[in-house]
Amino acid sequence: MKSGIAALTPSRFTAVVRAFPPAPRYWVAYSGGCDSHVLLHLLSVLRAQLPGRLAAVHVDHGLSMDAPRWVAHCRRVCRRLSVPLEVLRVEARNRRGESPEAAARRARYQALAELIAPGECLLTAHHRDDQAETLLLQLLRGSGPRGLAAMPARIPFAGGMHLRPLLDFERAALRAYARREGLEWVEDESNFDAGIRRNFLRHQVLPLLRQHWPRVALTFSRSAAHCAEAAQLLDELAAMDLEAIGGRGAPDSSPDPSLDVAALQALPPARRRNLLRYWLRGLGLPQPQAAQLQRIEEDLLGAGPDRQPAVHWAGVVLRRHRGRLHVTQPLPPFDASIVLVWSLSRSLELPGGNGRLEARPVQGRGLAARRCGERVQVCFRRGGERCRMAGGRHHSLKKLLQEKGVPPWIRDRLPLICVAGEVVAVADLWRSPDFEADSGEQGWEIHWHRRSPASA
């Protein structure tokens, strides 16, 4: 053990275990490598201190020819430790612009999220050197305080918690523990591929830094903690700003989350950018880069009131309409000339990512069942449609949608419910008075379930 590096022992780790949140089960993400083996072994020794059961989970990405050997090794170790093991197999196909490593990580955590039951904990063996690598990677990406905060010791995950109990220990301490306990582990050959950026930092950059700054991992860990505090304060400020400007989940005629443009413009630029990032993160959407934030400032906030500009980035479309910023998701094209037959007793999936229609039986309101029958037609705007409103007059649907402030990107995707070629309802926004159910009469109440922006 190098001088100055804290030793890892069961007695020292007991305090960490006692600080775990109560949970019915603690899942150790066990790759078969040294770090996760050390964590699993420690917890098996201290399992009497755990409020819940101990279990292990191994994710087989199928990317290495050695994967079957790794699974067999994990099974042997877990039998020896009397720890139940779950093996998950995933397909880690990378998306366009996504590295194989990022794809494997995404697939791994998605599978783990499906495994973890509400209230359970996932434990990973990230340590102080991993934290240093993560901080360097984020710094080289130009990340702000949230990115530089690196990996938190605990974070909500899949209805439970994700814990990283080894963040106060360095890799050398884990290796010393493994040798002392006679542990055996497998080595993933990709860990030595210097073409992978994290490996380049691990094997070439950090050893060089340690020659001049021996406690570099501890120093970086301290910096990450400072950034985490700063990020928390920025979030608290953004939450106050969001409440002050009245950010809401939906404008009057659209479920798209939105922000008031004038209120945003009244904020200083730095607080405005901080609020936008906080708001989008709260919706589960990808964060804008500096270039997109600049375009938001110039193209959206700086646009004239008669314009309807939009800024796009991966998974997000941010638009301006009637003095508000609306966030939506990119939707695939669809054939607006399609006509669907809808049996009202069943829900109807709409094409082009346009959500789902549902009709609920009610009494004394909704579309009169006697007029509609069991089946209706569903179509979309193609131009020239008219619908009958209160007062008995037919109105141009285009003019009606404009008057009601329905955003342009929604208008052509509104499902129109038709009977014998007549528009009797526009989604769940309006109904023709001629087709309203009378008091005591059976009716159908229409509900249009649109996809949320975060589901992209």
Side-chain angles (χ1 to χ4, degrees):
M1 176 73 66
K2 294 180 181 179
S3 175
I5 295 179
L8 176 58
T9 63
S11 59
R12 291 200 60 180
F13 199 64
T14 298
V16 178
V17 171
R18 287 176 177 168
F20 284 178
R25 182 155 43 189
Y26 298 87
W27 290 95
V28 175
Y30 180 38
S31 67
C34 179
D35 300 341
S36 59
H37 193 166
V38 167
L39 178 59
L40 183 63
H41 188 272
L42 275 166
L43 291 173
S44 70
V45 171
L46 298 172
R47 78 179 75 203
Q49 307 285 340
L50 292 172
R53 293 167 296 176
L54 176 64
V57 53
H58 175 82
V59 180
D60 178 5
H61 302 86
L63 297 175
S64 172
M65 294 184 65
D66 288 328
R69 181 172 62 87
W70 297 342
V71 171
H73 169 82
C74 291
R75 293 191 190 279
R76 284 196 305 272
V77 170
C78 287
R79 279 197 302 268
R80 194 178 306 144
L81 297 176
S82 299
V83 175
L85 173 69
E86 187 82 21
V87 176
L88 305 178
R89 290 180 170 82
V90 300
E91 285 191 21
R93 295 180 180 176
N94 52 311
R95 299 168 178 168
R96 184 177 180 180
E98 184 180 39
S99 69
E101 298 78 36
R105 184 183 185 280
R106 173 177 50 79
R108 178 168 65 253
Y109 277 100
Q110 182 177 342
L112 292 170
E114 293 172 359
L115 172 71
I116 304 299
E120 294 183 341
C121 289
L122 171 69
L123 287 78
T124 55
H126 297 107
H127 45 71
R128 187 174 284 165
D129 293 79
D130 292 324
Q131 188 79 302
E133 294 162 11
T134 301
L135 184 142
L136 277 175
L137 282 170
Q138 295 291 354
L139 187 63
L140 292 167
R141 290 169 183 154
S143 299
R146 174 164 291 274
L148 297 178
M151 298 180 291
R154 60 174 65 188
I155 190 171
F157 179 75
M161 294 292 293
H162 178 184
L163 309 180
R164 296 182 175 96
L166 294 174
L167 283 182
D168 286 337
F169 299 93
E170 298 189 15
R171 179 180 286 112
L174 273 65
R175 291 286 166 141
Y177 179 93
R179 289 192 296 268
R180 191 167 62 247
E181 297 295 331
L183 305 186
E184 297 178 359
W185 60 87
V186 296
E187 292 284 2
D188 185 344
E189 67 277 3
S190 68
N191 288 336
F192 301 97
D193 180 1
I196 297 174
R197 292 172 179 175
R198 181 178 288 272
N199 290 342
F200 174 74
L201 294 175
R202 177 180 303 170
H203 298 298
Q204 299 190 38
V205 175
L206 281 169
L208 186 62
L209 289 174
R210 281 194 181 93
Q211 292 179 18
H212 295 275
W213 296 277
R215 303 309 307 275
V216 64
L218 175 62
T219 304
F220 282 180
S221 178
R222 190 180 301 126
S223 293
H226 294 328
C227 289
E229 284 189 1
Q232 181 179 351
L233 291 173
L234 288 171
D235 280 354
E236 291 173 3
L237 177 62
M240 290 188 291
D241 285 341
L242 184 60
E243 184 177 2
I245 74 170
R248 65 187 188 220
D252 295 338
S253 56
S254 163
D256 297 327
S258 65
L259 295 175
D260 183 81
V261 169
L264 273 175
Q265 290 172 326
L267 291 173
R271 285 175 66 172
R272 187 159 59 232
R273 292 190 294 270
N274 183 51
L275 172 56
L276 284 169
R277 285 189 289 257
Y278 174 83
W279 178 59
L280 291 165
R281 189 170 61 252
L283 295 170
L285 295 172
Q287 292 285 283
Q289 301 297 321
Q292 281 106 26
L293 285 169
Q294 185 65 27
R295 287 193 58 205
I296 291 170
E297 289 279 346
E298 296 174 355
D299 298 350
L300 295 186
L301 299 181
D306 58 333
R307 294 183 56 210
Q308 295 174 346
V311 174
H312 301 246
W313 65 92
V316 182
V317 182
L318 196 61
R319 309 173 189 265
R320 176 170 173 167
H321 176 66
R322 292 198 171 187
R324 296 191 73 85
L325 288 188
H326 300 261
V327 63
T328 64
Q329 62 182 4
L331 291 173
F334 77 107
D335 182 4
S337 67
I338 191 171
V339 177
L340 307 171
V341 177
W342 180 22
S343 176
L344 293 170
S345 59
R346 300 179 180 179
S347 63
L348 176 69
E349 290 291 333
L350 299 173
N354 289 324
R356 175 172 58 89
L357 281 175
E358 179 186 11
R360 299 172 187 170
V362 292
Q363 292 290 323
R365 66 181 190 276
L367 292 174
R370 62 180 173 81
R371 297 292 309 274
C372 295
E374 285 294 322
R375 295 174 181 269
V376 296
Q377 290 182 324
V378 177
C379 59
F380 298 89
R381 285 187 64 219
R382 299 178 65 186
E385 293 86 1
R386 303 181 68 80
C387 57
R388 192 176 182 87
M389 299 298 292
R393 293 189 302 125
H394 281 82
H395 295 255
S396 160
L397 181 56
K398 178 180 178 180
K399 185 177 180 181
L400 184 64
L401 294 173
Q402 290 174 339
E403 290 175 352
K404 295 295 183 180
V406 177
W409 60 91
I410 296 177
R411 295 173 194 170
D412 291 341
R413 292 180 175 270
L414 281 168
L416 309 179
I417 290 86
C418 304
V419 174
E422 180 179 356
V423 177
V424 301
V426 179
D428 50 9
L429 301 179
W430 306 291
R431 293 186 297 269
S432 167
D434 294 342
F435 280 76
E436 285 274 4
D438 295 330
S439 177
E441 184 180 17
Q442 181 182 349
W444 293 103
E445 190 173 71
I446 305 298
H447 294 270
W448 180 29
H449 301 279
R450 291 181 56 206
R451 293 176 64 186
S452 69
S455 65

